[in-house]
Amino acid sequence: MTAIALSGFFGTIQQGRVTHIRFWTYIGFFAGAAALAFFGDSGYDEDGFLIRFLSMQGVIWGGAGALLGLGLSFATGKSGQRSPSFIENSVPWLDGLLLMMLLMAAFTLLEPHEALISYEDQSNLISGRIVMAMNLLFLFSAVCYIMYLFAPESFIGKMATMAAWGGVYAGGTSLFLRWYESYLFLNGDIGHAPVSNLYEVFILLFCVTSSIYLTFERRYQAKAMGAFVMVLVSAGVFFGIWLDSIGQADIKPLVPALQSYWMKIHVPLNFVGYGSFAVACAAGMAWLFRERLERRGSASMLKIFPSLDQLDQLAYKAIAVGFPAFTLATILGAAWAAEAWGGYWSWDPKETWALIVWLFYGAYLHVRISHGWSGKTLAVWAVAGFLVTLFCFVGVNMYLSGLHSYGRLA
Amino acid sequence: MPQLYKSIKPFLLRFASMPLAIVLLMVLAIASMIGTVLLQNQEQADYLTQFGPVWYWVFRGLGLFDMYHAWWFIGLLGFLMTSLAFCLWHNVPRMLKEMRSRKVKLTDHAWKRMQHTHKLTLPDRDMEAVAGKVEKITGWQWLTYQEKGFTYLRGDRGRYHKWGYILVHSALLIVLIGGWMSVQFGFRGNMAVPEGGMESRISYVKGTGSESLDMPFKVRCNSFEINFFPTGAPKEFRSNLTIIDQGKEVLTSDIIVNEPLYYRGVRIYQASFGDGGSKIGLKLFRLDGSKRVDVVKSEVYKTYTDAESGISMEITDFKPFNVENMAAPGEPKKFQDIGPAVDFVLRGPGLKPVKVRSFMNPFIVNGQNQGSLMMISLTGDNRDFQSFFLGPDLTKPKEWELFHAFSKKSSGIADGGGIEVFKAAVSEVYGDKMPDDFRDVGIRTLQGMQMLPSLPWPFIPLLDDYDQVYYTGLQLARDPGMNVVWSGSALLVMGLCIMLYISHRKVWLVIEARERGMRIRVAGLANRNLMAFDSEFNDLLRDLEDNLGLSQQGASV
């Protein structure tokens, strides 16, 4: 399981010169966006920011930044030289975001007529249909990945991967689209980023989990693990459908405490953590599954499974991605709390559970790094860790009260 | 002193040992769970009813009602700090030494531990030149050493990765120290300032009681306003505050949630709001047949006692907007503001105390006036309010008169008199000018005939006018430990990234002369991220072959 070099078309555009140019163009675009926030006509107007990128003003500022970045890339890069791995690793993610934005922009053209949309009846919005497509794609992908375990045909494996990627793009696009749609009624008064309720962050969680897993799959050829990740995602999909059925999928106005730029930073970053912990959990489950297979000696399935050692490392890798992200998200959450609630730490149930999750994975890293533990205990630990995470994410919202109560089911 | 040191050293070493840290982390995690399940800092009386006297005193003794400040929890955190400190004290010198020492020579014994090994042969015998060429490979820190005809080269990447451990552990210590400073030297409390009022004292919960603290300045609330979304949900709470320091107005500013005010080390947050003693005018519609309507003036939080009947009304709250979902269940939601309402508890001789919500406006839905509205909660709980449609729209004096005229004319008639009697009553009250909504007036009056006599009170109290005053609920906090916490946090994230993403990768080259040419042995070792190191090692081999001109000859073995 060496980290494989990409070949073919995707290989070419994700390495070397082209990557270098793209990277700096993106950086330029973000700089332009930041400049718009600081020096633009009406500055940073909270949640209307995405909308402004679709306006002429956004095109001018972002475009100017991107052009500057493009110029910079020609000035700094020498052709033929390999880019640092940081750039090569981050560009595909930025590409994906750009593609989602473009898809979003395309779908805005398909939005139904104004008269068919109202705050009271949001069922005609097109993002709902894209979420449905995402649900189907993820479920189909899960079925394919499970089939792949029993019939390791490369065709089935490819379908599973494609469906999962399709789900990620459908989910991401629908979220961006929801952001846009939240401005379509009540004079755009309630528009906000789509990370404000359980339904929206569930979609985010599916996308983050799947894309982290798919990156692992591509790099380490761990396709057999997909069945476990996608089963987790599918369980979430059913929860999401249930949320929709009880009317939790509606776009609702933000309570004053959430009206802050921090929301757009704190929440997505937290879900990078949760998503990676989900992948670690799947790796742990795959470890336990493989161990059982080994004891039974079913050779055919063992052939396609990553080895125990590799699964162990994948779980660690996922936690190594999630833990710093989760730490940073919690710290930034504390910074937000210091601005909104009068103190960076209030021992609110959500905060306390975040601490518990942090301590749990902190202990995992301790025993692994300093004690060199591995194997079954850590596989179980990764699975248990995700259960704790799940309680922190959903359980606290549903069963405990506190300052984070806007995550509750209304 | 050395004697003492010697005797406590085993304990200190135990402090620094890993299993203790893991146990400590897990114990802290489990202990923290308690406080999320058991609601913290509630009223003591609520706890008493919830748990009964025995468990109440057990829990109270353990400090579970404010457990994050209980001695044992603080003790656990202190224990964690001590453990961290000794962990650093024990490991940092060793780590620094390890980072400095770079053994270039590779023994045969060490060779066996290597994750990667590779052998190359070269035709020429110029060791110096080869070593020079190897050192040109970028991305590695090279060291050279020669002994007994062998040339050793060592390359390092991520040599300072142990700083990750040091940073993470000291960062946690710094964060905990910052937290301790916040608790020790900071404060956080609440004040309620009515519009136009001034306040300088904050109160906060400590243990099982409440304490207060005087600020060195006064806060005046000039105004408080709430903006609403079209859905009726609050959009923004905004207070206009003036800080008065030593009798002088020094600062006037608006605050909203998420945008606090900062003055002399104290942050002032918009935390809550409520009624600050609004002036309330009530109309008492006497039900003794005298048609009398008394106008009463009072305030929120005051009690008005009606001298005539001995009935008292303790006014508890006032709201200028009451947005309700008017749609039938299953239909799309339809929000409508049904206007101002006042809440009061009505008590009187021989009456069961009830909570009343009395509205100023008649209830109008889909353009149809359904008369004056009142809500009554028999339990006193706001969730138990039930609507009572009184019948007449009492904001219209004529309907009050019509009710009396009709009840006077129909009294004594067995079936109430029917439409003829009603028409007579209408023409008595309205004369020739019939009301436009004659039908609705009729329905309302008939409803009133049923409803009003069944009321147990001698009058109907309806909200007449108001002059609203809010109080703004402010939270004032001073936190001298906050910046310490932020710097600790920054170090923590930095340290974690170093610790988890930078691995120490070491490669060795052992060059030895052979009869013809020379042999180069290459070995590599990484402390983690072995998958990435595989390709890194292969990259190095490729670079070696390129630099030494081997790739054309295909001379690698």
Side-chain angles (χ1 to χ4, degrees):
Chain A
M1 189 166 55
T2 50
I4 49 161
L6 289 161
S7 55
F9 172 70
F10 284 105
T12 339
I13 62 161
Q14 285 182 17
Q15 276 161 4
R17 190 95 190 102
V18 193
T19 307
H20 185 77
I21 293 171
R22 276 211 312 292
F23 180 77
W24 287 105
T25 311
Y26 287 134
I27 295 292
F29 175 77
F30 287 131
L36 171 64
F38 280 109
F39 312 113
D41 238 4
S42 53
Y44 176 72
D45 69 338
E46 212 45 75
D47 283 301
F49 207 52
L50 178 91
I51 292 302
R52 294 178 66 193
F53 282 117
L54 300 179
S55 71
M56 203 57 206
Q57 209 189 9
V59 171
I60 291 169
W61 284 83
L67 280 177
L68 263 171
L70 185 70
L72 199 70
S73 78
F74 281 108
T76 55
K78 296 185 201 86
S79 68
Q81 202 178 35
R82 267 195 303 164
S83 310
S85 59
F86 167 69
I87 290 183
E88 282 184 2
N89 287 337
S90 54
V91 161
W93 295 89
L94 299 171
D95 285 343
L97 280 177
L98 179 69
L99 186 53
M100 284 174 195
M101 293 272 274
L102 292 176
L103 283 170
M104 182 268 285
F107 276 114
T108 56
L109 302 175
L110 299 178
E111 285 294 354
H113 188 265
E114 237 176 287
L116 293 171
I117 307 169
S118 70
Y119 174 73
E120 288 77 18
D121 183 11
Q122 303 180 3
S123 61
N124 288 323
L125 292 175
I126 209 152
S127 70
R129 264 163 249 181
I130 300 175
V131 171
M132 226 3 117
M134 175 201 77
N135 291 342
L136 291 176
L137 282 165
F138 279 140
L139 294 178
F140 179 70
S141 163
V143 171
C144 286
Y145 272 116
I146 292 169
M147 267 164 63
Y148 179 78
L149 287 186
F150 295 98
E153 306 281 338
S154 76
F155 169 67
I156 298 175
K158 258 185 202 147
M159 260 196 335
T161 308
M162 300 269 272
W165 274 121
V168 170
Y169 278 99
T173 306
S174 74
L175 281 184
F176 277 124
L177 207 53
R178 249 180 105 87
W179 197 342
Y180 167 80
E181 284 166 353
S182 66
Y183 288 88
L184 291 185
F185 31 70
L186 302 179
N187 306 323
D189 221 13
I190 66 164
H192 58 79
V195 285
S196 67
N197 64 29
L198 212 50
Y199 179 75
E200 291 166 336
V201 294
F202 250 93
I203 298 174
L204 181 64
L205 181 62
F206 304 153
C207 294
V208 171
T209 309
S210 309
S211 46
I212 289 175
Y213 159 70
L214 288 167
T215 309
F216 279 10
E217 177 188 297
R218 199 174 58 185
R219 265 202 219 164
Y220 308 114
Q221 292 169 311
K223 198 161 241 178
M225 211 179 102
F228 298 89
V229 179
M230 283 303 152
V231 162
L232 284 182
V233 171
S234 302
V237 162
F238 284 115
F239 189 75
I241 292 172
W242 175 72
L243 282 177
D244 191 3
S245 74
I246 58 166
Q248 295 291 318
D250 282 357
I251 298 169
K252 293 208 175 87
L254 281 184
V255 300
L258 289 182
Q259 294 168 17
S260 167
Y261 58 95
W262 282 113
M263 185 179 82
K264 298 186 214 60
I265 303 170
H266 171 64
V267 180
L269 200 54
N270 241 317
F271 281 87
V272 175
Y274 292 163
S276 338
F277 295 154
V279 174
C281 165
M285 293 196 302
W287 194 101
L288 296 169
F289 189 74
R290 183 182 165 113
E291 197 217 18
R292 175 165 280 201
L293 282 184
E294 278 182 6
R295 268 190 281 136
R296 287 204 191 146
S298 36
S300 65
M301 212 185 270
L302 279 178
K303 245 191 305 182
I304 54 157
F305 250 78
S307 71
L308 289 179
D309 189 43
Q310 285 163 345
L311 286 169
D312 192 60
Q313 285 212 32
L314 282 172
Y316 166 72
K317 267 175 187 303
I319 290 173
V321 170
F323 192 71
F326 185 72
T327 309
L328 186 59
T330 307
I331 290 169
L332 294 179
W336 186 6
E339 213 165 87
W341 295 337
Y344 54 84
W345 197 262
S346 314
W347 294 106
D348 154 70
K350 192 82 166 184
E351 283 174 354
T352 311
W353 274 93
L355 176 71
I356 292 166
V357 169
W358 192 88
L359 291 170
F360 208 88
Y361 285 105
Y364 173 98
L365 292 173
H366 259 136
V367 295
R368 191 178 170 107
I369 295 176
S370 305
H371 267 215
W373 290 17
S374 62
K376 189 161 190 170
T377 322
L378 287 198
V380 173
W381 204 312
V383 175
F386 186 62
L387 293 180
V388 178
T389 309
L390 213 56
F391 188 80
C392 174
F393 166 35
V394 189
V396 172
N397 290 349
M398 290 175 78
Y399 300 115
L400 305 175
S401 58
L403 294 167
H404 273 86
S405 54
Y406 28 75
R408 286 176 89 89
L409 303 181
Chain B
M1 209 57 197
Q3 194 69 38
L4 179 72
Y5 178 73
K6 221 176 225 171
S7 60
I8 60 168
K9 196 175 174 190
F11 291 104
L12 298 188
L13 286 180
R14 173 136 313 169
F15 262 124
S17 73
M18 286 305 306
L20 180 93
I22 295 159
V23 170
L24 202 50
L25 291 183
M26 297 320 287
V27 167
L28 257 178
I30 292 162
S32 306
M33 288 181 196
I34 302 172
T36 66
V37 180
L38 181 64
L39 281 179
Q40 298 288 296
N41 295 319
Q42 305 290 300
E43 292 290 327
Q44 295 298 311
D46 291 348
Y47 286 129
L48 193 58
T49 48
Q50 194 180 348
F51 299 111
V54 178
W55 286 111
Y56 169 77
W57 284 106
V58 171
F59 287 174
R60 189 177 165 154
L62 289 170
L64 289 188
F65 302 140
D66 189 21
M67 66 151 275
Y68 299 111
H69 305 105
W71 59 269
W72 57 269
F73 194 79
I74 302 283
L76 270 178
L77 290 177
F79 205 40
L80 182 67
M81 280 169 84
T82 326
S83 166
L84 275 168
F86 281 110
C87 183
L88 283 167
W89 169 76
H90 184 235
N91 288 325
V92 167
R94 189 172 56 80
M95 285 180 173
L96 291 177
K97 210 168 120 193
E98 268 179 30
M99 279 192 281
R100 274 196 299 270
S101 87
R102 297 166 70 196
K103 259 173 122 179
V104 183
K105 193 183 156 186
L106 196 64
T107 61
D108 286 339
H109 178 68
W111 179 263
K112 292 200 183 87
R113 290 197 305 122
M114 293 296 155
Q115 292 146 345
H116 292 279
T117 52
H118 192 78
K119 286 180 185 136
L120 300 163
T121 51
L122 272 183
D124 64 294
R125 302 191 57 169
D126 188 355
M127 268 195 212
E128 297 274 323
V130 168
K133 279 175 185 166
V134 171
E135 282 179 333
K136 286 220 178 70
I137 297 174
T138 52
W140 298 87
Q141 288 179 294
W142 294 104
L143 273 183
T144 321
Y145 176 74
Q146 278 167 332
E147 194 186 84
K148 291 181 203 155
F150 287 88
T151 300
Y152 298 92
L153 278 139
R154 172 181 164 144
D156 285 84
R157 260 181 189 178
R159 191 153 73 86
Y160 294 107
H161 81 112
K162 282 210 164 68
W163 274 107
Y165 294 83
I166 300 174
L167 279 179
V168 165
H169 289 87
S170 37
L172 286 176
L173 199 58
I174 293 170
V175 167
L176 284 166
I177 291 171
W180 172 78
M181 283 167 70
S182 300
V183 174
Q184 202 63 29
F185 305 115
F187 57 78
R188 192 168 158 186
N190 296 296
M191 62 165 65
V193 195
E195 283 179 291
M198 228 183 319
E199 185 60 72
S200 69
R201 172 168 291 213
I202 59 167
S203 63
Y204 52 93
V205 175
K206 188 165 189 183
T208 52
S210 169
E211 293 191 12
S212 65
L213 187 72
D214 274 319
M215 295 289 104
F217 53 82
K218 286 182 175 153
V219 181
R220 190 178 71 209
C221 173
N222 303 317
S223 68
F224 174 82
E225 60 180 284
I226 311 175
N227 296 317
F228 292 91
F229 286 111
T231 64
K235 182 182 187 180
E236 186 185 73
F237 307 113
R238 183 179 287 271
S239 301
N240 183 268
L241 303 179
T242 298
I243 308 285
I244 295 156
D245 200 346
Q246 289 162 355
K248 269 188 293 195
E249 295 188 4
V250 285
L251 180 63
T252 298
S253 174
D254 274 11
I255 64 166
I256 59 173
V257 180
N258 273 313
E259 284 176 30
L261 179 66
Y262 185 74
Y263 180 71
R264 276 180 62 183
V266 179
R267 281 198 163 75
I268 304 173
Y269 299 88
Q270 179 69 58
S272 63
F273 71 95
D275 196 283
S278 301
K279 302 223 179 332
I280 299 296
L282 287 169
K283 268 187 176 157
L284 307 186
F285 293 85
R286 301 283 173 188
L287 289 171
D288 54 3
S290 64
K291 292 198 243 176
R292 232 169 357 113
V293 180
D294 292 333
V295 178
V296 162
K297 296 281 171 201
S298 186
E299 276 176 33
V300 176
Y301 307 125
K302 286 197 175 154
T303 303
Y304 171 79
T305 308
D306 180 41
E308 211 170 293
S309 58
I311 286 176
S312 74
M313 289 179 286
E314 182 196 342
I315 303 175
T316 54
D317 201 4
F318 167 79
K319 284 202 182 75
F321 308 104
N322 290 277
V323 178
E324 301 279 339
N325 180 12
M326 308 301 258
E331 278 178 39
K333 282 157 279 179
K334 189 163 175 278
F335 291 98
Q336 188 185 325
D337 177 20
I338 50 178
V342 64
D343 286 8
F344 49 84
V345 179
L346 193 142
R347 297 183 183 86
L351 289 176
K352 183 181 157 53
V354 288
K355 194 164 186 186
V356 180
R357 175 168 292 171
S358 168
F359 289 85
M360 190 163 100
N361 302 332
F363 185 72
I364 299 173
V365 65
N366 297 330
Q368 196 198 12
N369 187 339
Q370 302 192 0
S372 291
L373 172 68
M374 193 179 258
M375 288 183 181
I376 295 172
S377 162
L378 296 173
T379 58
D381 192 322
N382 280 357
R383 280 170 301 189
D384 295 336
F385 269 128
Q386 285 178 315
S387 297
F388 284 86
F389 295 98
L390 299 171
D393 174 358
L394 293 173
T395 57
K396 295 185 177 126
K398 291 238 160 157
E399 290 197 24
W400 178 236
E401 260 179 61
L402 176 63
F403 165 73
H404 280 92
F406 184 44
S407 45
K408 203 163 143 196
K409 286 194 193 304
S410 61
S411 65
I413 305 173
D415 60 350
I419 191 76
E420 292 309 317
V421 179
F422 180 65
K423 274 186 176 159
V426 169
S427 64
E428 183 189 314
V429 174
Y430 289 90
D432 300 334
K433 244 186 105 194
M434 293 288 263
D436 298 333
D437 55 343
F438 175 74
R439 264 185 61 85
D440 289 349
V441 171
I443 295 168
R444 290 202 289 272
T445 311
L446 287 176
Q447 162 84 356
M449 293 298 289
Q450 286 197 330
M451 193 68 201
L452 297 185
S454 68
L455 278 177
W457 313 322
F459 56 80
I460 311 167
L462 275 192
L463 178 60
D464 183 39
D465 63 0
Y466 62 87
D467 182 9
Q468 196 194 11
V469 180
Y470 278 116
Y471 79 75
T472 177
L474 304 176
Q475 184 165 72
L476 278 77
R478 202 171 81 137
D479 205 328
M482 195 150 79
N483 288 330
V484 180
V485 171
W486 295 150
S487 32
S489 303
L491 289 181
L492 177 62
V493 174
M494 263 161 52
L496 275 176
C497 289
I498 296 176
M499 198 168 107
L500 295 173
Y501 301 145
I502 296 184
S503 57
H504 191 184
R505 290 142 294 173
K506 297 172 255 190
V507 288
W508 283 269
L509 277 83
V510 185
I511 310 174
E512 58 186 303
R514 283 296 178 89
E515 278 164 35
R516 275 187 292 153
M518 59 184 134
R519 186 175 74 152
I520 305 176
R521 286 184 294 157
V522 192
L525 192 66
N527 69 332
R528 78 169 61 88
N529 201 3
L530 306 181
M531 298 188 216
F533 185 59
D534 289 346
S535 66
E536 235 173 325
F537 190 75
N538 287 332
D539 284 348
L540 175 74
L541 289 180
R542 213 178 52 217
D543 286 346
L544 265 180
E545 287 173 0
D546 286 350
N547 274 26
L548 301 178
L550 279 172
S551 40
Q552 299 90 348
Q553 299 160 28
S556 64
V557 177

